[in-house]
Amino acid sequence: MIDYQRICLAHYHEIGLKGHNRSTFEMRLLKNLEALLSDFPVVTVHRIAGRLCVFLREGTDWETAKAVADVMGKVPGVARVSCGFKCPRDLDVMAEVARAAMLEAGDFESFKVAARRNHTDFPTNSMEMNQIVGAALCQAFPEKSVRMKNPDLTVGVEVVQNAAYVYARSLPGIGGLPVGSSGVVACLLSSGIDSPVATWKLARRGAVCIGVHFSGRPQTSDASEYLVDDIARVLERTGCIARVYTVPFGDYQREIALTVPPELRVIMYRRLMFKVAEELAHREGAGALVTGESLGQVASQTLDNIRCTDAAVSLPVFRPLIGTDKLEIIAEAERLGTFEISAQDAPDCCTLFMPRSPETHAKLAVVEEAESALPVDEWVAEIAAAAEVRDYACPAFKRKKKRS
């Protein structure tokens, strides 16, 4: 048993490509990791040699260290996570620790050592460290082969000013940018499969996500609201959602269904939803709306109909899934952990008062003329005022006072 402090190193790629503002991205990721790992025995998180190092409490066991690494790998901005130890800058100790790290790395047949000397006050250079530590590992694991290109396992040895960091087990992260580095967006969030994935994709690009859920209540049950809360609980594990507004929308859909031509109902629903979401976005200082639409997937997602709904708002509308098919979206939802929730059947506003033959190629002039019969501005104010707010754990979110 090695009696040295366990560490988990967060490697990042895209942040490392930033210029003079790189430190801002690094600090945002550091703060996110500190908050999201608060339930684990973390002593501190520091930036070391172009990485973020999570130092675990003395005596932390291997299973706990793996759990920490698993959480870190799902945090936007982290490209890879490595588990290992902090030890003295002594080559014999570093070789001993490397053997211990390899024993915890899982199954592998080939390996190599990747040593790096970050301070020249250590007399042994990187190539010499590769040879010395590599020779010790070959002696300890004679059944394993050394492969310099594409090995099963890479043992990292990094010498910094006052210590060495040795690691072997690595797992891929999701990459991207840390949440909080790209502003705020308002995401139309249903209990379905698509919109949680779209929300996660914007969080992975560094946006703080505010959900807006349109419930069919009181014309339907509130079952979709509970599913959306479950979805948000999954997203908040890695700080990917900050707040959800729940909007009772059923009565307004009923009024639209009684007033406009049946084939235009879906367009009218969507336009009103966009207008309400934009009002709530302004309340939160959000710079864009986000939807889970995929081109041509349903009647409201044709090019003509998308144009008609976008024309209802002035904010840009992001559709990260626009070129993605359903099977690809399902695979992303399974990876994210929301698919099983979204697969549950729950009535919501999307299936309420649906026409038999919805318009698939709406004309904006026709839509706007039909909409002129509705008190849209009055409705938007009423709906936004009635929205119910629930907050979630998002370290990057600067909370504003809830409005009643």
Side-chain angles (χ1 to χ4, degrees), residues 313-325:
V313 295
S314 59
L315 283 179
V317 182
F318 296 158
R319 295 177 170 87
L321 306 182
I322 194 67
T324 312
D325 67 36

Side-chain angles (χ1 to χ4, degrees), residues 5-8 41-43 54-58 60 64-65 68:
Q5 185 175 22
R6 289 189 181 274
I7 60 166
C8 291
V42 174
V43 177
V54 175
F55 294 89
L56 301 179
R57 191 176 302 142
E58 298 280 351
T60 299
T64 302
V68 170

